Amino acid sequence: MAGQVPRSPAEVTPDWLDRSLHARGVINAAHVTGVEAQSLGVGVGFLGQVARLKISYDRSEPGAPATAIVKMPTLDPGGR
C-alpha cells in the first residue's frame, strides 16, 4: 500500500483509509469521503492511542464498515 502510515488517529485521512480498505478487499465500489476520530480510553492507563473511526462513503455498499477501531503506539518517546 502506498503512502505513509498514520502515526495518530488524527492523521487517518479519507484517502488513506479508502486505499487501505480497497487494498484489503473490504470495499470495492464505494469510496471513503469522511473519517471522524473519537479517542477512547484517555486517562485510564493506556500507553498507546486508541480511537473509534466513524466512516462516511460516497455510496452504500454491503459489508462496508460504518466504524473501525485503530490502535497505535504512544507518541511519547518515554512510554515506548
Side-chain angles (χ1 to χ4, degrees):
M1 171 178 39
Q4 183 72 19
V5 175
R7 292 186 44 186
S8 73
E11 292 180 3
V12 176
T13 64
D15 183 55
W16 182 86
L17 188 57
D18 185 70
R19 287 191 323 267
S20 297
L21 294 175
H22 276 276
R24 287 160 181 78
V26 176
I27 58 175
N28 296 302
H31 291 280
V32 176
T33 57
V35 179
E36 294 177 40
Q38 175 191 12
S39 293
L40 302 174
V42 176
V44 293
F46 288 129
L47 284 178
Q49 305 170 82
V50 181
R52 177 183 297 115
L53 304 178
K54 181 179 175 189
I55 308 167
S56 303
Y57 299 93
D58 64 348
R59 68 187 76 179
S60 179
E61 182 172 324
T67 61
I69 301 294
V70 294
K71 182 178 177 186
M72 301 169 165
T74 181
L75 294 176
D76 177 11
R80 287 188 165 192

